[in-house]
């Protein structure tokens, strides 16, 4: 029975995803994937409809596979892509935000004059705006200006706001004109940001001209009071204070009634100029003609700015509202603190102080975001100040919230302060957990405070908090690095008694330490224990162990250890490390002996080693000894080890 296109598309996509997961190069298109398509008989049934259905919906979130399948199809005899296949692949790239590839493929669409569905143009423009590539979004828009109404009001207004925010007024004006010409409704977001940034450079008269133009067409989607605030703020920002004063009456007669926020902006600007007379006149006008701001209007608009990633505009408006001591809901303040802290941590603290002054506090997500950005910007003193303020208001009440503070103090290297937090936790009945101790232990070790770390270890167990694998790994690694190998071994053996199973990190740390301490016997015993625990684990540790042995001059034990393992190709790196150390140490006879052993055990491994060495030395002007060794071996010119040594010396 012949399968439908949809059924076959599902089979193909599942096969590709399954084959990709089995491949070591899961993020690339490989010959194995093409072989999978060949086995399914794709070539015989290939059509644009099938390609489009495979990509969308089945591979739409797997851009590498989608792109690979799209490319494979284009190489098949007699096949050519159409609007449906381009639609599917461009949709996948939009969703996964592969902006560079998206741009390249869209150029192909333009060159081939392929017409896409308006919904895809909408997605393409929106994805470029998200990627902060408003110029590319604009170039897509200019390709299809006649589709502005189908692209939609939301996307067009987003583009208008993005271009205006970035100061690209020429392009913004083109979008504005096209929207008016095509009857696309302007929103408070699009027209508001456009007029906000426009009026400061072009003055009140031209701004009112644009406003009149929009009012003749459709003003229904615009909040007049919010627009009035944006206009007077834009004028004041560019020192057009007199025009801002004149704007009140002009805006009022155009259905943009200024509220208290608008009057406060101008009054503050006049106060900064020490123009007391005009300031008093503005305040009198505020009391007579102004209206109370509607909290929800500004909340909705500010959230729109944040969602459109117009953080600079959001912080400016938020600052105006907070500076005038106008009300803001907690959820809006949390959003402002979290988003603004990424670009201006100082202003984010201003919003935090405004929030605390109203006897409310940020949520933990906001505290985490603010802390992360203060740390990222190197503002550690400010971070400490924030924690102090929040602690004094009993903001941290449980282990989870305290751990946020501990985490960032430890990252900032403030170990003493982090330890004080642990003490404060116990005083207030919030018991430190294993995460609390591990963060502080790691910070102690990172700051080379091994003795305090050991004391903290003892304190942790005394307080009834047993260590986990991470705890042991932190201390074992540090003790090994510091040459305190007896303590490392004691901790390692203690793990077994506590039921904590070592992992690769544990074994790697202690084996390095034992090798550096020249304790060959114990290191081999530890590796044997690792192999008994899990052969796969032992293979993952082996390479590092061989490297540690070789660094300390234990070349023969390393060679013997490798010969005790299987001749699996997975151990290639371990053999390569040993051979390089043997060659560099002029242990030519041992190197030849080991190579012959490899060749006898696994010709495949021998060939792989040869390929690796050839590849690694191809760009080197001075071939290293191991390369010369392989040249001689592969040439079959010498039979005896003595002759080979002479050739190497030559």
């Amino acid at each position: 029975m012949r399968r439908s296109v949809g059924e076959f598309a599902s089979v193909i996509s599942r096969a590709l995803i399954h084959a990709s997961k089995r491949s070591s190069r899961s993020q690339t298109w490989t010959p194995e994937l093409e072989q999978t398509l060949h086995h399914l008989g794709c070539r015989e049934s290939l059509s644009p409809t099938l390609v489009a259905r495979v990509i969308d919906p089945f591979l739409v979130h797997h851009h590498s596979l989608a792109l690979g399948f799209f490319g494979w199809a284009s190489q098949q005899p007699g096949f050519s892509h159409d609007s449906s296949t381009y639609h599917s692949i461009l949709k996948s790239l939009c969703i996964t935000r592969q902006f560079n590839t998206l741009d390249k493929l869209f150029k192909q669409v333009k060159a081939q004059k392929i017409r896409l569905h308006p919904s895809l143009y909408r997605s393409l423009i929106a994805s470029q705006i998200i990627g902060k590539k408003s110029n590319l979004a604009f170039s897509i828009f200019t390709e299809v200006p006649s589709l502005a109404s189908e692209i939609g009001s939301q996307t067009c207004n987003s583009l208008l706001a993005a271009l205006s925010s970035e100061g690209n007024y020429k392009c913004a004006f083109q979008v504005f004109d096209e929207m008016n010409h095509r009857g696309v409704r302007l929103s408070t977001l699009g027209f508001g940001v456009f007029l906000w940034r426009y009026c400061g450079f072009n003055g009140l008269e031209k701004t009112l001209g644009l406003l009149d133009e929009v009012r003749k067409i459709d003003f229904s989607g615009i909040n007049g009071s919010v627009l009035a605030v944006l206009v007077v703020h834009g004028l004041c920002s560019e020192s057009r204070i007199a025009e801002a004063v004149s704007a009140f009456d002009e805006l009022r007669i155009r259905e943009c009634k200024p509220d208290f926020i608008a009057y406060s902006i101008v009054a503050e600007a006049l106060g900064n100029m020490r123009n007391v007379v005009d300031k008093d006149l503005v305040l009198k006008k505020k009391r007579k003609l102004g209206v109370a701001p509607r909290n929800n209007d500004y909340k909705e608009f500010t959230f729109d700015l944040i969602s459109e990633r117009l953080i600079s505009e959001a912080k400016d408006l938020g600052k105006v509202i907070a500076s005038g001591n106008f009300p803001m809901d907690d959820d809006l303040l949390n959003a402002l603190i979290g988003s603004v802290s990424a670009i201006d941590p100082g202003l984010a603290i201003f919003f935090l102080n405004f929030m605390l002054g109203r006897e409310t506090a940020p949520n933990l997500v906001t505290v985490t975001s603010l802390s992360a950005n203060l740390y990222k910007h190197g503002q550690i003193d400010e971070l400490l100040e924030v924690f102090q303020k929040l602690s004094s208001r009993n903001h941290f009440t449980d282990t989870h919230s305290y751990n946020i503070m501990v985490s960032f103090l430890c990252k900032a290297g403030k170990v003493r302060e982090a330890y004080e937090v642990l003490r404060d936790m116990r005083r207030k009945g919030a018991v430190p957990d294993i995460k609390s101790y591990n963060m502080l232990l790691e910070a102690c070790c990172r700051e080379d405070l091994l003795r305090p770390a050991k004391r903290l270890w003892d304190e942790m167990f005394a307080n009834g908090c047993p260590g986990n694998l991470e705890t042991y790994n932190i201390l074992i690694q540090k003790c090994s690095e510091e040459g305190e190998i007896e303590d490392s071994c004691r901790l390692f053996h203690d793990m077994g008694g506590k039921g904590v199973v070592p992992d690769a990190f544990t074994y790697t740390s202690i084996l390095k330490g034992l090798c550096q301490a020249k304790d060959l016997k114990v290191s081999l015993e530890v590796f044997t224990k690792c192999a008994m625990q899990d052969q796969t684990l032992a293979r993952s540790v082996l390479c590092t162990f061989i490297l540690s042995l070789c660094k300390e001059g234990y070349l023969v034990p390393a060679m013997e250890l490798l010969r005790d393992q299987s001749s699996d190709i997975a151990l290639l790196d371990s053999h390569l490390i040993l051979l390089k150390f043997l060659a560099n140490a002029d242990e030519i006879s041992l190197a030849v002996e080991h190579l012959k052993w490899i060749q006898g055990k696994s010709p495949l491994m021998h060939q792989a080693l040869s390929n690796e060495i050839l590849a690694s030395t191809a760009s080197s002007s001075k071939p290293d000894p191991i390369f010369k060794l392989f040249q001689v071996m592969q040439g079959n010119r010498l039979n005896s080890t003595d002759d080979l040594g002479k050739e190497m010396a030559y």
Side-chain angles (χ1 to χ4, degrees), residues 118-181:
S119 65
L120 185 59
Y121 285 110
R122 185 188 310 133
S123 298
L124 287 167
I125 292 168
S127 67
Q128 298 290 10
I129 294 170
I130 290 170
K132 289 294 182 184
K133 297 187 175 184
S134 61
N135 284 335
L136 289 176
F138 174 73
S139 70
I140 295 170
F141 179 83
T142 56
E143 292 292 321
V144 285
S146 61
L147 296 178
S149 56
E150 287 90 342
I151 288 170
S153 172
Q154 183 177 350
T155 303
C156 289
N157 277 290
S158 293
L159 178 58
L160 179 60
L163 291 166
S164 303
S165 173
E166 293 175 11
N168 194 341
Y169 304 118
K170 182 180 178 181
C171 294
F173 222 104
Q174 283 183 247
V175 173
F176 171 75
D177 283 343
E178 201 61 54
M179 289 175 72
N180 282 336
H181 177 63

Side-chain angles (χ1 to χ4, degrees), residues 4 52 155 225 279 310 320 411 494 504 591 625 633 636:
S4 69
T155 303
S225 291
K279 178 181 178 181
L310 299 173
V320 164
K411 284 181 180 179
D494 187 55
M633 288 289 289
N636 292 320

Side-chain angles (χ1 to χ4, degrees), residues 572-588 590-592 594-595 598 606 608-618 620 622-635 644 648-649:
L572 175 69
D573 287 343
S574 299
H575 287 284
L576 192 58
I577 288 167
L578 173 63
L579 285 168
K580 285 185 176 180
F581 271 93
L582 288 170
N584 288 334
D586 289 331
E587 294 286 355
I588 305 306
L590 286 176
V592 172
H594 191 64
L595 276 168
I598 292 170
H606 187 271
L609 277 168
S610 177
N611 293 340
E612 282 290 322
I613 291 167
L614 286 169
S616 66
T617 57
S620 176
K622 183 182 178 182
D624 56 25
I626 193 170
F627 179 60
K628 293 171 70 178
L629 173 65
F630 262 82
Q631 280 185 314
V632 175
M633 288 289 289
Q634 289 182 326
L644 183 57
M648 290 288 291

